[in-house]
Amino acid sequence: MIRRGNNDMKYKYLLFDADDTLLDFRRSEREALTDAMLRFGIHPTEELIKGYSEINDSLWKLLERGGIGKNELRVRRFELFSEKYGLDADPHMLAAEYTDRLAEKSFPVNGAVELCASLRGKYRLFIITNGIKNIQESRLGASELKQYIEKSFISEEMGAEKPSPLFFDRVASAIDGFDRSFALVIGDSLTSDIAGGIAAGIDTCWFNPNHAENPGKVIPTYEIASLEELYPLVMEQDELANVGLKNRRHQC
């Protein structure tokens, strides 16, 4: 855990990214892509799965910079994928099959359910996501996490994408009593979650389980490698003791 801020105050509003923060997007992506390729008679090799993921990631980065729209992204990633690997499948049909399968895949990140269950009632929990609306609603709706989240803010509904300050302004306006001084953004993306939170004047926590190198252009308030490391950043000592007691009971 890396601390860069003064945590004397107690946070009230926790703004969680969805994919690869609370939900295991990599697993969902792998399973959905595998199902879609098999549907069109394509053998899902590791090379293909890795190659698609890289193309997809690059287009989402482009979307963050305003270089592509979400509707175009849905199909463009499969056009590039099919061109690169010479696949004999209609990119529009492959894209449709993939998104249908992805909407069915909902897997929480290790520790996410326990974390949200422990925080519920003490803090106000929200999700902030750039994901495609119908897919995110389906995946979040099927997740155990749903019962702990007060509201999900999806960029398509907000009319802006992270890291745009407009996205965070609209989130702030939609939460009654919201005070940026008592809010924390938690997410895995430096360029989306962390850069956006900083620009909006909100403390940030970079979830970095793979210990990726930070180029240094975006500096989060905190950095954690597991969701368990979030507890001492937001909880007071008496609350931490209660969480520890519950965990020990659960292990018995």
Side-chain angles (χ1 to χ4, degrees), residues 78-93:
F78 285 98
E79 290 176 340
L80 295 173
F81 180 52
S82 296
E83 290 170 8
K84 181 175 180 178
Y85 294 102
L87 302 180
D88 185 19
D90 184 318
H92 289 80
M93 296 180 65

Side-chain angles (χ1 to χ4, degrees), residues 1-247:
M1 180 194 303
I2 299 175
R3 299 171 180 251
R4 296 189 178 91
N6 182 352
N7 198 38
D8 291 339
M9 67 179 178
K10 179 179 178 181
Y11 293 111
K12 296 179 182 179
Y13 313 94
L14 304 182
L15 310 179
F16 289 93
D17 174 47
D19 288 325
D20 289 328
T21 300
L22 291 182
L23 293 176
D24 187 343
F25 178 74
R26 294 304 166 188
R27 178 180 174 186
S28 296
E29 178 186 62
R30 169 180 284 272
E31 293 195 11
L33 184 62
T34 296
D35 290 349
M37 287 194 289
L38 288 173
R39 169 71 176 76
F40 288 94
I42 302 167
H43 180 59
T45 65
E46 283 298 319
E47 180 186 2
L48 289 178
I49 293 171
K50 183 175 183 292
Y52 168 80
S53 186
E54 290 173 351
I55 291 169
N56 189 44
D57 287 348
S58 69
L59 289 179
W60 280 100
K61 296 294 184 188
L62 185 61
L63 178 135
E64 291 172 12
R65 301 192 298 271
I68 191 173
K70 198 165 290 180
N71 286 334
E72 182 183 356
L73 181 150
R74 290 172 184 248
V75 177
R76 183 58 179 157
R77 55 190 174 182
F78 285 98
E79 290 176 340
L80 295 173
F81 180 52
S82 296
E83 290 170 8
K84 181 175 180 178
Y85 294 102
L87 302 180
D88 185 19
D90 184 318
H92 289 80
M93 296 180 65
L94 189 55
E97 183 69 20
Y98 170 77
T99 52
D100 285 349
R101 300 291 74 76
L102 185 62
E104 302 168 349
K105 312 294 183 181
S106 181
F107 310 107
V109 167
N110 288 338
V113 174
E114 294 81 359
L115 174 70
C116 291
S118 297
L119 297 177
R120 183 179 65 170
K122 305 177 182 70
Y123 310 90
R124 298 179 66 183
L125 312 184
F126 303 91
I127 281 179
I128 53 173
T129 175
N130 277 352
I132 295 170
K133 182 178 182 294
N134 66 310
I135 294 176
Q136 295 301 71
E137 287 179 339
S138 177
R139 294 173 65 229
L140 291 167
S143 171
E144 297 175 73
L145 296 166
K146 181 184 179 181
Q147 61 188 308
Y148 307 119
I149 303 299
E150 184 173 333
K151 183 175 176 59
S152 296
F153 296 101
I154 302 174
S155 59
E156 284 183 53
E157 296 179 317
M158 306 308 289
E161 310 279 348
K162 296 181 294 182
S164 167
L166 182 58
F167 175 90
F168 289 90
D169 287 346
R170 288 178 174 173
V171 168
S173 297
I175 300 173
D176 60 289
F178 187 79
D179 185 337
R180 295 174 196 241
S181 299
F182 292 90
L184 182 67
V185 172
I186 305 104
D188 69 297
S189 171
L190 286 172
T191 56
S192 175
D193 309 308
I194 307 307
I198 292 172
I202 303 173
D203 279 1
T204 58
C205 180
W206 183 30
F207 179 49
N208 184 22
N210 296 320
H211 303 280
E213 183 179 353
N214 185 345
K217 296 180 181 179
V218 178
I219 306 299
T221 312
Y222 313 106
E223 178 182 334
I224 59 176
S226 71
L227 291 179
E228 289 183 356
E229 294 180 54
L230 188 63
Y231 287 108
L233 296 183
V234 301
M235 284 187 162
E236 296 181 346
Q237 289 302 314
D238 58 336
E239 293 173 323
L240 284 171
N242 290 333
V243 169
L245 179 61
K246 290 178 182 177
N247 288 340

